[in-house]
Amino acid sequence: GAGVSQSPRYKVAKRGQDVALRCDPISGHVSLFWYQQALGQGPEFLTYFQNEAQLDKSGLPSDRFFAERPEGSVSTLKIQRTQQEDSAVYLCASTKGLDNEKLFFGSGTQLSVL
Amino acid sequence: SQQGEEDPQALSIQEGENATMNCSYKTSINNLQWYRQNSGRGLVHLILIRSNEREKHSGRLRVTLDTSKKSSSLLITASRAADTASYFCATDPKEGGSQGNLIFGKGTKLSVKP
């Protein structure tokens, strides 16, 4: 596709529900990143893939967060047993190469946990 | 944790004026990038400056980097109403973190009045 696509655009979950957020990077982009952005804040790093390999998951806040990219293209961020503090915008970004220069971002998924 | 700190937090100017935003960071970096985010959208890459560069221009944008002071500034000349957005600096730390771990600041919210 022309850009990074994320779905759903908005997600409302009841506390304790599991959610899955999808990211379709730009075709052919090797590197994929997930960020979490709280209201009024800058994005905070969650995890990073090169192709299908998850090279860094140091930003995942707890073991309730899990990300995968099994075929090196589409990625899914899963949050189990959602809590109110998980409410945020989840941004996905991709780059053509192996570095983090000039990230292309999707519009994000706004997650609200009630 | 967020390394970059933008200043000011909010800036309101008239169309045609120049806008200057500053960013300070804490650790040595490989490069520093500036991104723009329109309300409810993803981030868009504006410009990248490497640690061995002092100044860079792109259209109406001018970025400076002072590694001794660990600071950068973004100047937008002859601002337009369409420049209204939040602006974030993002650093690629030399140590501690993978290639994916870009660290964003909290952003400057720029409002350009027609």
Side-chain angles (χ1 to χ4, degrees):
Chain A
V4 178
S5 177
Q6 290 188 247
S7 60
R9 187 77 177 87
Y10 302 93
K11 177 70 180 177
V12 178
K14 289 183 180 176
R15 193 171 53 177
Q17 271 186 333
D18 296 349
V19 298
L21 313 180
R22 178 187 168 104
C23 172
D24 267 283
I26 293 173
S27 178
H29 276 201
V30 169
S31 300
L32 185 145
F33 312 81
W34 282 99
Y35 283 82
Q36 180 190 59
Q37 186 175 24
L39 191 62
Q41 301 293 312
E44 293 223 10
F45 172 78
L46 292 176
T47 187
Y48 159 60
F49 291 85
Q50 258 185 33
N51 297 304
E52 68 278 4
Q54 188 174 22
L55 297 189
D56 186 349
K57 52 181 182 179
S58 62
L60 296 176
S62 75
D63 59 8
R64 295 186 296 103
F65 286 71
F66 172 76
E68 60 183 4
R69 194 185 184 199
E71 295 174 3
S73 55
V74 170
S75 176
T76 304
L77 176 67
K78 295 179 180 176
I79 309 173
Q80 297 177 321
R81 303 180 305 280
T82 52
Q83 305 293 315
Q84 280 190 315
E85 62 262 28
D86 300 334
S87 295
V89 175
Y90 290 84
L91 294 165
C92 176
S94 67
T95 60
K96 194 174 184 181
L98 304 177
D99 54 40
N100 58 14
E101 298 184 2
K102 193 176 182 180
L103 270 62
F104 291 85
F105 279 85
S107 295
T109 293
Q110 185 170 327
L111 173 65
S112 300
V113 182
L114 306 177
Chain B
S1 62
Q2 295 184 300
Q3 153 155 257
E5 194 77 36
E6 283 92 342
D7 160 54
Q9 285 189 337
L11 180 61
S12 183
I13 58 174
Q14 293 293 132
E15 216 167 21
E17 293 180 339
N18 295 343
T20 300
M21 288 158 270
N22 303 296
C23 167
S24 59
Y25 56 91
K26 295 173 187 168
T27 65
S28 296
I29 60 171
N30 293 311
N31 65 62
L32 184 145
Q33 302 175 52
W34 284 91
Y35 287 80
R36 184 188 76 218
Q37 185 177 36
N38 288 85
S39 181
R41 307 297 296 176
L43 285 78
V44 174
H45 181 269
L46 295 175
I47 196 165
L48 178 151
I49 187 165
R50 300 192 186 283
S51 59
N52 61 352
E53 296 175 310
R54 290 298 164 256
E55 188 171 314
K56 209 160 179 183
H57 296 253
S58 176
R60 293 185 295 113
L61 305 179
R62 176 180 164 248
V63 171
T64 62
L65 179 65
D66 186 335
T67 52
S68 66
K69 293 182 180 176
K70 291 187 169 60
S71 68
S72 172
S73 68
L74 171 68
L75 168 67
I76 304 174
T77 58
S79 63
R80 306 166 182 166
D83 295 328
T84 294
S86 291
Y87 292 81
F88 295 90
C89 67
T91 53
D92 176 17
K94 267 191 178 169
E95 292 169 9
S98 69
Q99 288 173 295
N101 197 355
L102 266 190
I103 303 177
F104 285 82
K106 294 182 180 180
T108 290
K109 199 166 184 177
L110 174 66
S111 176
V112 182
K113 301 187 189 308

